[in-house]
Structures are given as structure tokens and as C-alpha cells.
Amino acid sequence: SHCKEYGFVFPSSEIYDGLGAVYDYGPYGVELKNNIREYWWKSMVQMNDNIVGIDASIFMHPTVWKASGHVDAFSDPLIDNKDSKKRYRADVLIEEHIAKIEGKIDKEIEKAKKRFENFDEKMFRTTNARILEYQKKIDEINTRMKSALEKNDLAEVKQIIIDCEIVCPISGSRNWTDVRQFNLMFSTQMGSVADDANTIYLRPETAQGIFVNFLNVQRSARMKIPFGIAQTGKAFRNEIVARQFLFRMREFEQMEMQFFVRPGEEMQWYNTWKEKRIKWHHAMGFGADRYRFHDHLKLAHYANAASDIEFQFPFGFKEIEGIHSRTDFDLNAHEKFSGKKLQYFDSELNKNYVPYVIETSIGLDRMFLAVLAAAFEVEKLSSNNSEEEGNERVVLRIPAALAPVKAAVFPLVKKDGLPEKAMEIFNQLKQICRCYYEEKDTIGKRYRRQDAIGTPFCITVDHESLKDNCVTLRHRDSMQQ
Ligand code: GAP
């Protein structure tokens, strides 16, 4: 509701009751989104002299998606509960069950810590035995799930759900259908004739636009391996279990980078990019403990190693970015399907090869949600706060570099030449950053409104300003003036 009230995010087509898992960004949302995208772009393209950018089309030749494996393998294993009629991703149900067991281990540890003073050997043994038992259960489920998903053994996936006694969160029953695979790509028709031959897809990831342009970019920008190609843009997935606001959308934006390396060097670069990307997240200043890696059990059809960077959202630790070692899968597949060579001549090794690829892929909307979730605070104020606008304020502590508006300029009153002076400052400042001018309401109310959209600095012009050419600069986080 804060996002809607303050112009960050609106449900799509709201006057028609909205469209599931599709959202529109409002006046402040679009600024924040642009700033996150620009921050990512600068850190990838501007700061790395071996990374260049592209902007490929959303529509691509349909064979691209045959080659990439998306037509055959881009699907989710779904299961329905017959009582609630709700549909779930079977692997997510199992992962959530595992997370519950992990929670039990954490509780045991917490209990032990509390009883630390009088923790005797018997207690230690029972606690230890319980933890080992839980861990064993987790390992067993993980091993079964990994094997079932790898073999696409959907009956076994259902059996795990039954054996773990997983119930539907809505109906509480275990009345499950069989597990089925469901393709997530949206299709449409190109041209005037609606037949299968004209079926094209809305891209489910931006990465393929990079792969098919690999040689165009390498040659035109004279890139030498190792090098990267970065891109931001829309992607579309017909998510069945779409929920948690911007976390899982049907139309969303990705910021992806494919880094092309020599075969055999991919693991070293995989680790390098894992490290670089977690540092980028830590630099947001939200606290390193809000991030963790989650190495994949089930590898996508193109990967030989994969890890997620997970962020602690209000609904738990969830993936915000994926780092994948995609081997030479994509380039090889495009060579095969297009009949065109996609090889690189390495002059140092004096040989041609299909490069291996490390991918970093982050969702812009998920990053947006993470920034808002970390920045949002309802702060209790001391009774002697000088702003005299209640004992509580809502503040978005968005890092200044990402804040939608960097500075707001206020005349203390709407007369005596103060608006003109304030406007003069506003007109100068707006040349270099997004600013806001306001003269309505008390100064305290105006500060509160800027806190709520995360403006780091407010500039107030008062009668003194006309004499000494000085202003009051007010800082959002400390409220210091
Ligand atoms: N090219 C690799 C790829 O697309 P992915 O893990 O499927 O990998 C990468 O997606 C990132 O895109 C995710 O970490 C997430 O941030 C974002 N993403 C994926 N599906 C999304 C969705 N339905 N809504 C919002 N963001 C999504």
C-alpha cells in the first residue's frame, strides 16, 4: 500500500481489477528502477573494460528457443490440491518442507544457547542426536528430489510429497493430483496468418539475444576472450504460481551478463563472478547477513554449476540473482540449429574453439523489491524532535545513489521572495539530479512526504537565506539539520 500511495508501483490495468502478477511503475518507481538499472550497467559495462552492452529484440526467430532447450525443457513441475483447487510448484513445496526442518535445527541451537550455563552432557547428547536426525532427513529428501528431477521422474516427485506428508497450505489436505510439466513461455503470432509456422515466443530470458549476437559483438567491438556482453530488458514467463508482489511476475526485467571464457577456465571465472556479484550486493549497505549463496541441486539443462544469491525478503531468504556456469551449451546448440559457426580464434593458443560461458542474471524488479523491503522503516521519534509532526515517521532509507529524488527544495513560507529564491536553487540543481520543489503545507509535513519517498536531502530557504545566501540542509536518515 505504501508503493501505491506514494507512486512507486500500481497493479496493471487497475481500473479493470488488475492483471495477475503484472505491475506498472509510477512516478517514483520508474526513477528508482532506472537508477538501479543504471547502477548495474555502470558497474558492469563502465567499470569493466572487457564488458560491452547490447539491446536485442524481445521477438526472436522461433528456432532460437528450440536450440536453447526452452521449447522442450523450460517447464515447472506442477501439482494441484484437489480440495483447495490451488496449484503449486512441486519442487517448491518440497523446498519449503526442507526449510521447515532447517527451522527446527535453528530452534534446537537457540534453545541450547539459552541453556548454555547449565547444559550437561546428557542434554548435549539429546540435542545433538535430534539435530543429526533432522539433518539426515534433509539430506535424504534432497538426494531423492535431485535424482527425481534429473530423471524427470514426476511420479517420484509426487511420492516425496506424500512421504513427507506435505499438506496444502490452504485446505490442509493431502489430496494431491499427479505432478505435470507445464511450459512457461508465452507465444504469439507474427504476420497475418495464425498458424503454427508463424508462432513466435516472448523471450523468457534476455540471454539468448546475447548468444545469437556473440560473433557480431566480438568482431565489431574487437573483443578478446575473456570478455562479457551485458544487456537489460524485458522477459516474460507464464508463471503459474505468481505471488509475493514483484517477486514473481509474468512480465519482468532482467539484467544479464554473459562472460565468454576459454574452455577449462570456467570454474575459476564462475568463482570470480560469484565473489564480484556478492560484493555488489553488499555495497548496497543493507547488511551482509541479509545475503547468502544457495548452490543448486537441480541444474538447469544448460549448466554445470549454478548458485543463487539469496536476499532476506520479508517472506524469507529468496533468490535475487543467479550465477550460472552455462558451459558451451548455448553456442554449440545455436551452431547446430543455425548451421553457422560460432567460434572464436584464440591467437595466443592458435586455435578455434566454442567459448564457455559464465552468466550473471539478476531480476531488476526483484532488486527493486529488495531495496524497498530493506529501506522501509516505521521509525519511532523522540518527543523532543524538532520537526513536530507526530511521534512516528515512515522513512525509506534508500541508498542516496538510487533514491528516486535526490533533493527537495522548499521555501519556508509562500511569500517574501522565498519561493523565488528556492526556485532559483531548484532550477540550478535540476541540471544535475532529479529534484523536487514544493511550497504547500508545513515544513514538517513536507519533510515527512520526502522521507516516505526516500529523498536523502531537503533544502529549506528561509528569510535568513535572502541575506546570507545560506540554506538549511536536512538529512533524511539522521533528521539532522
Ligand atoms: N538467463 C538465466 C535466467 O533467466 P533465472 O534464474 O531463471 O535465470 C534470473 O532468472 C533472475 O531473473 C532471477 O534471479 C530473478 O531475479 C529474475 N526472475 C526470474 N523469474 C522472475 C519472475 N517471474 N519475476 C521476477 N523476476 C524474475
Side-chain angles (χ1 to χ4, degrees):
S1 66
H2 188 84
C3 280
K4 194 178 152 193
E5 184 177 349
Y6 286 92
F8 281 88
V9 186
F10 311 124
S12 156
S13 337
E14 196 188 7
I15 57 169
Y16 294 99
D17 295 335
L19 183 67
V22 186
Y23 291 94
D24 298 340
Y25 287 85
Y28 297 116
V30 69
E31 298 286 348
L32 173 58
K33 198 176 169 200
N34 286 345
N35 292 345
I36 298 173
R37 191 192 297 105
E38 192 187 335
Y39 181 64
W40 180 88
W41 188 265
K42 281 190 174 161
S43 71
M44 292 309 245
V45 180
Q46 187 172 321
M47 302 301 288
N48 290 292
D49 53 9
N50 59 354
I51 299 182
V52 290
I54 61 161
D55 182 18
S57 307
I58 287 172
F59 292 152
M60 300 185 74
H61 193 284
T63 313
V64 166
W65 306 110
K66 263 267 164 223
S68 68
H70 283 81
V71 170
D72 295 325
F74 191 57
S75 47
D76 278 344
L78 300 182
I79 190 166
D80 293 26
N81 182 268
K82 291 183 198 161
D83 299 319
S84 66
K85 310 270 183 280
K86 287 278 167 201
R87 185 163 284 177
Y88 300 92
R89 261 178 62 178
D91 54 334
V92 171
L93 276 182
I94 298 170
E95 274 165 13
E96 283 172 354
H97 179 73
I98 292 174
K100 275 190 198 148
I101 307 178
E102 282 169 345
K104 286 183 187 167
I105 296 183
D106 291 344
K107 269 198 194 132
E108 287 293 337
I109 294 171
E110 277 309 309
K111 263 200 283 178
K113 272 189 197 157
K114 275 192 196 135
R115 286 199 237 125
F116 183 70
E117 293 285 305
N118 48 7
F119 206 63
D120 61 26
E121 198 176 329
K122 191 168 158 229
M123 280 170 160
F124 174 79
R125 282 224 191 92
T126 18
T127 303
N128 206 25
R130 265 192 235 125
I131 291 178
L132 286 177
E133 191 55 35
Y134 289 140
Q135 193 54 54
K136 197 171 140 211
K137 248 191 217 165
I138 292 174
D139 293 344
E140 270 170 23
I141 302 171
N142 270 334
T143 313
R144 273 181 78 184
M145 180 160 82
K146 182 170 187 253
S147 148
L149 291 173
E150 268 171 14
K151 289 189 226 141
N152 202 19
D153 184 349
L154 301 181
E156 167 68 355
V157 176
K158 181 177 178 184
Q159 198 54 48
I160 300 173
I161 290 176
I162 293 168
D163 294 347
C164 292
E165 302 184 347
I166 296 173
V167 297
C168 165
I170 309 278
S171 68
S173 87
R174 293 184 207 146
N175 196 4
W176 297 110
T177 61
D178 287 343
V179 179
R180 283 160 304 135
Q181 291 287 9
F182 181 91
N183 195 292
L184 299 178
M185 282 196 295
F186 283 103
S187 62
T188 187
Q189 244 74 38
M190 187 170 248
S192 55
V193 191
D195 65 19
D196 275 357
N198 292 328
T199 297
I200 57 167
Y201 298 99
L202 301 191
R203 66 181 178 196
E205 62 169 11
T206 57
Q208 297 305 323
I210 293 179
F211 289 124
V212 298
N213 278 300
F214 162 68
L215 275 189
N216 282 339
V217 174
Q218 188 267 321
R219 286 178 183 157
S220 60
R222 302 161 60 83
M223 304 306 287
K224 275 200 166 137
I225 273 182
F227 75 91
I229 305 177
Q231 175 172 221
T232 70
K234 289 273 184 162
F236 304 83
R237 295 182 191 177
N238 195 2
E239 300 282 2
I240 293 309
V241 189
R243 59 179 176 199
Q244 285 153 342
F245 193 31
L246 305 179
F247 185 80
R248 200 173 296 287
M249 300 157 81
R250 295 198 166 105
E251 173 180 343
F252 57 100
E253 197 165 332
Q254 289 186 316
M255 307 191 285
E256 298 201 298
M257 192 277 302
Q258 313 293 326
F259 199 73
F260 299 89
V261 304
R262 279 182 185 160
E265 292 186 359
E266 71 272 18
M267 276 312 166
Q268 166 203 328
W269 284 108
Y270 170 69
N271 289 323
T272 302
W273 277 106
K274 269 176 84 172
E275 208 175 298
K276 278 184 181 237
R277 293 306 302 153
I278 196 87
K279 274 197 186 146
W280 184 88
H281 286 279
H282 288 171
M284 293 286 148
F286 299 141
D289 54 347
R290 295 193 76 141
Y291 301 88
R292 69 182 187 193
F293 280 112
H294 167 77
D295 294 327
H296 281 212
L297 283 175
K298 182 201 173 194
L299 291 173
H301 56 275
Y302 49 71
N304 68 355
S307 188
D308 295 338
I309 294 176
E310 293 187 338
F311 176 76
Q312 191 180 27
F313 286 96
F315 39 84
F317 272 98
K318 300 273 175 194
E319 172 187 351
I320 188 166
E321 170 157 6
I323 296 143
H324 311 123
S325 171
R326 289 184 81 129
T327 66
D328 55 355
F329 174 88
D330 301 87
L331 290 180
N332 261 337
H334 288 307
E335 268 202 343
K336 192 170 129 213
F337 278 79
S338 68
K340 310 269 166 31
K341 282 239 169 299
L342 290 174
Q343 300 199 354
Y344 171 81
F345 177 70
D346 192 322
S347 52
E348 278 173 36
L349 300 180
N350 197 27
K351 71 174 192 191
N352 279 306
Y353 55 79
V354 176
Y356 273 48
V357 173
I358 305 303
E359 166 184 75
T360 70
S361 175
I362 171 171
L364 176 50
D365 313 82
R366 256 184 219 185
M367 187 63 205
F368 181 103
L369 182 60
V371 169
L372 276 188
F376 182 88
E377 190 185 332
V378 181
E379 189 186 21
K380 292 264 173 275
L381 299 175
S382 65
S383 51
N384 59 353
N385 83 83
S386 59
E387 296 180 0
E388 295 170 355
E389 277 303 325
N391 51 7
E392 198 177 88
R393 66 169 182 155
V394 173
V395 55
L396 290 184
R397 299 182 191 279
I398 302 175
L402 303 182
V405 175
K406 307 292 185 224
V409 187
F410 308 140
L412 185 64
V413 289
K414 230 190 316 180
K415 56 184 181 185
D416 305 334
L418 301 192
E420 289 76 8
K421 186 75 183 168
M423 210 19 121
E424 197 185 309
I425 296 171
F426 172 74
N427 281 331
Q428 276 185 32
L429 260 187
K430 75 179 183 193
Q431 312 285 331
I432 51 166
C433 61
R434 182 78 165 78
C435 295
Y436 185 84
Y437 175 87
E438 189 167 37
E439 48 187 36
K440 273 200 307 280
D441 287 331
T442 64
I443 201 75
K445 281 201 176 110
R446 283 181 263 169
Y447 284 152
R448 287 295 175 277
R449 272 202 292 274
Q450 294 308 311
D451 288 342
I453 62 165
T455 305
F457 301 106
C458 291
I459 294 162
T460 303
V461 171
D462 59 18
H463 291 91
E464 286 297 298
S465 309
L466 300 183
K467 292 184 215 143
D468 62 8
N469 231 15
C470 289
V471 294
T472 300
L473 184 64
R474 186 250 191 197
H475 182 227
R476 174 195 68 197
D477 295 348
S478 59
M479 292 171 64
Q480 235 175 18
Q481 300 185 5

